[in-house]
Amino acid sequence: MSLETIRKEQRDVDREKRFLAAHAAGHDRVYRYFRRRTDNAATAEDLCAEVFRIAWEKTGQEESVSVMVLFGIAKNVLRNHDRSASRSENLLGALQLERNQAGDTGESRLHEALSRLGPDERELLLLTYWDGFSSSEVSDLLDTSATAVRMRLHRARKALGRLLDSDSLSEGAK
């Protein structure tokens, strides 16, 4: 083993020791910080774990992690969590409102037909028509070619059309 390899291993061991010392010194305080500000213990523990993941990634070979650094990271993690929770709550509210407004109109038939499609077809239609992405953007999101997206989109539209037609026929027979 070369001298450089031994030095690197020693630096890694030293970094791990510094990190474990910071974890021991700060975990309970960071956890309590989150526990006072979140709904449940599981969320607080998840956010606490995120703080230490970020701290590990951001600290270099020679840096130690102070409690103040941990709380700086914790503040940002909590802010991101709150923004995410707010966006989720707003989205759920909007979806519930849309569902309530759809009622017995043609939109409910569309939602019913969409729910009967396969998950890949439904996702492709929603990304294109609900979210407004172009074929090339959808191809980037789904990691496939734009040509494949256009072909799959054509098939998904036909399948949705068949489902809507069969619903119309079954309603007419009633």
Side-chain angles (χ1 to χ4, degrees):
M1 211 183 315
S2 73
L3 185 58
E4 185 58 36
T5 304
I6 293 171
R7 285 183 183 155
K8 182 185 179 321
E9 286 178 4
Q10 185 60 45
R11 284 191 306 263
D12 290 345
V13 169
D14 291 343
R15 179 183 182 203
E16 186 175 337
K17 285 179 184 177
R18 285 191 309 276
F19 180 79
L20 290 174
H23 186 274
H27 180 273
D28 290 343
R29 292 174 69 186
V30 171
Y31 173 79
R32 287 191 307 268
Y33 171 82
F34 285 131
R35 188 63 186 105
R36 286 187 302 272
R37 290 163 175 81
T38 59
D39 294 338
N40 58 54
T43 300
E45 190 58 46
D46 288 346
L47 295 176
C48 191
E50 179 69 6
V51 166
F52 285 98
R53 182 194 63 78
I54 292 169
W56 175 260
E57 288 177 356
K58 290 199 179 274
T59 58
Q61 294 294 338
E62 304 300 321
E63 297 177 47
S64 61
V65 182
S66 71
V67 173
M68 293 310 295
V69 168
L70 292 175
F71 271 87
I73 295 169
K75 181 180 169 187
N76 291 332
V77 167
L78 183 62
R79 191 175 327 137
N80 288 339
H81 170 75
D82 290 344
R83 274 195 305 259
S84 177
S86 175
R87 282 191 304 261
S88 294
E89 190 174 305
N90 290 340
L91 178 60
L92 289 174
L95 290 173
Q96 185 63 41
L97 179 64
E98 182 180 315
R99 182 178 295 147
N100 291 341
Q101 288 175 347
D104 291 328
T105 66
E107 272 189 50
S108 64
R109 285 184 43 234
L110 177 61
H111 288 285
E112 173 65 28
L114 279 170
S115 71
R116 292 184 3 217
L117 286 174
D120 292 339
E121 293 173 319
R122 182 174 47 251
E123 181 69 9
L124 193 60
L125 287 168
L126 291 176
L127 284 171
T128 302
Y129 295 108
W130 182 309
D131 299 318
F133 289 112
S134 69
S135 295
S136 62
E137 292 169 329
V138 172
S139 71
D140 290 342
L141 288 170
L142 301 179
D143 196 28
T144 187
S145 71
T147 304
V149 167
R150 287 189 293 274
M151 287 176 50
R152 289 174 49 202
L153 185 59
H154 175 74
R155 291 183 195 132
R157 281 192 302 252
K158 284 183 117 179
L160 181 62
R162 283 192 300 271
L163 288 171
L164 289 170
D165 286 344
S166 69
D167 285 349
S168 296
L169 291 175
S170 63
E171 284 180 9
K174 289 180 182 177

